[in-house]
Amino acid sequence: MTSVALAIFPDVQALDVAGPLDAFMEANRFIGEGRGYAVTLVGADRAPVRASNGMLITPDASFDEACSGFDLALVAGGPSLPATVPDPRLTGWLAAMAVRCPRYGSICNGAFALGHAGLLDGRTVTTHWQDAPRLAAQFPEARVELDRIHVRDGALVTSAGVTAGIDLAPALIQEDHGGEVALAVARRLVVVAQRQGGQSQFSPFLTPLGKPDSPVARVRAHVMAHLRDAHRVEALAGIAGMSLRNFARAFKQETGLTPAAFVESLRLDAARNRLEASGLALKVVAHECGFTSAEHMRLVFVRSLGVTPSQYRASFGRPAPNA
C-alpha cells in the first residue's frame, strides 16, 4: 500500500481534505488489492477539528503518533492560514516529514505551513491565486508560480486553490499507477483528467489599477472608454500629462507592465466580461474590445489564460447563438 498522511487543523478547508482523499480512495477501485492507498488524517491531537464550513473532521493520529515516514505527506489549506501564527507542532511535523518521506507537499494555501517549516526556499511552488502574491512576499526565496494548477519540484508537490487538490491527486496517481487508472478516477469523480489553462481564468480581472488619482488610473479610464483605438504610447503619455521617457519608466514601476501590455490586459479583461455576460459572437466581442480580429483575440487568450475564448465561454459564460 502507498501510505499517505494528510495534516489538518482548525478552520481547515474541508474540500482540501475530502477532494484528494476521495481521489485516492476511488483509485483503490481500479488497483489490485494491497497496492492502493491508505490515508491517515493527522492533527495536533486526536480531537475533532472544525473545518471552515462547520464540518467536524477527526484526525486518525496525532503529530506525535504519526512520526514515522509515509510515502506521501501533505498539508491541507484553510481560509485563515496565511494570516495565522504558525502552529509549531504542525511545522515541526512537516519539517520531519520532508526528511522521512519520498514525496511531500501542500494543497491550496497549505504552502504557507510549508514555508513556515522552512521547506520553500529555492523551490518552485504554487498556491491559490489570491494568496500567491502574499506567499511570494512572505517567502522571497521561493519561486512562486502564480498561474499553475499544480507544480512538482523534486520531492515537493504543491497545488493551487481548493479544487486543485483534486487535480493534484490524479497526477500523483498517474505517477504511481499509470494514465489509465488516473483517467478512470477522473471519470468516476466527473472531473477532467488534466485541466485546461491555469488559475488566471478563475481569478477576477487582474489588471493593475494604480492609485485612484494616479496617471495610470487616468490612462486606464481613457483606454477603457476607447478600447478600439490604437493607443500609441505617445498619446498615452499625453493623457498622463508626462513626458514619454518619464511615462514609460513610471508606468512600468507602478503596474509592472509596459504600456502596450497594459492595454492588452485591459482588452482581455473587457473580452472576459463580455464572454461571461453576453451571447455576442466572438468576432463582435473581438471588435468591441479592440482586437484586430477574432483570431488575434484567440491568440491573446491562449497566451494569457491557457484557453481559447470559446473554451472560456463554455466554462464561465453564456453560449453565443450561431457562434
Side-chain angles (χ1 to χ4, degrees), residues 22-271:
D22 276 348
F24 289 128
M25 292 303 100
E26 290 296 338
N28 288 348
R29 295 171 177 264
F30 307 101
I31 301 170
E33 186 175 353
R35 297 179 54 243
Y37 294 89
V39 180
T40 301
L41 298 182
V42 187
D45 51 43
R46 289 186 177 231
V49 299
R50 192 168 295 280
S52 60
N53 66 358
M55 179 185 297
L56 280 175
I57 305 176
T58 303
D60 300 303
S62 69
F63 293 134
D64 288 338
E65 293 169 329
C67 56
S68 61
F70 293 83
D71 296 309
L72 170 66
L74 297 170
V75 57
S80 60
L81 190 60
T84 301
V85 176
D87 184 338
R89 296 170 296 181
L90 172 60
T91 55
W93 182 81
L94 289 171
M97 291 303 103
V99 175
R100 298 169 187 167
C101 301
R103 291 180 298 186
Y104 64 95
S106 61
I107 300 158
C108 193
N109 59 23
F112 283 84
L114 294 179
H116 289 302
L119 300 175
L120 297 188
D121 290 356
R123 312 304 292 272
T124 300
V125 300
T126 192
T127 189
H128 192 291
W129 61 264
Q130 200 167 29
D131 297 319
R134 182 170 186 165
L135 185 72
Q138 196 162 342
F139 304 103
E141 297 303 313
R143 297 183 293 271
V144 180
E145 295 282 350
L146 303 181
D147 198 39
R148 299 281 292 278
I149 298 296
H150 53 80
V151 172
R152 178 72 181 269
D153 184 348
L156 176 63
V157 293
T158 53
S159 68
V162 194
T163 59
I166 304 175
D167 295 89
L168 175 62
L172 296 172
I173 291 167
Q174 180 169 340
E175 288 184 14
D176 296 336
H177 300 285
E180 289 187 10
V181 173
L183 181 58
V185 170
R187 286 172 173 166
R188 175 71 182 173
L189 296 178
V190 197
V191 297
V192 294
Q194 184 173 348
R195 199 185 310 205
Q196 293 175 317
Q199 292 194 82
S200 294
Q201 60 186 301
F202 300 97
S203 61
F205 305 135
L206 299 178
T207 303
L209 301 179
K211 299 176 183 178
D213 58 347
S214 70
V216 170
R218 293 199 298 272
V219 168
R220 183 186 190 280
H222 176 79
V223 173
M224 289 301 293
H226 305 86
L227 283 171
R228 300 179 194 174
D229 291 356
H231 297 302
R232 295 176 60 86
V233 66
E234 294 86 356
L236 295 179
I239 297 296
M242 302 172 69
S243 70
L244 182 60
R245 181 177 179 180
N246 287 339
F247 172 72
R249 182 176 62 252
F251 200 92
K252 183 67 179 289
Q253 183 176 2
E254 186 165 347
T255 68
L257 299 173
T258 65
F262 185 78
V263 170
E264 183 177 90
S265 70
L266 290 176
R267 287 173 171 152
L268 178 64
D269 285 357

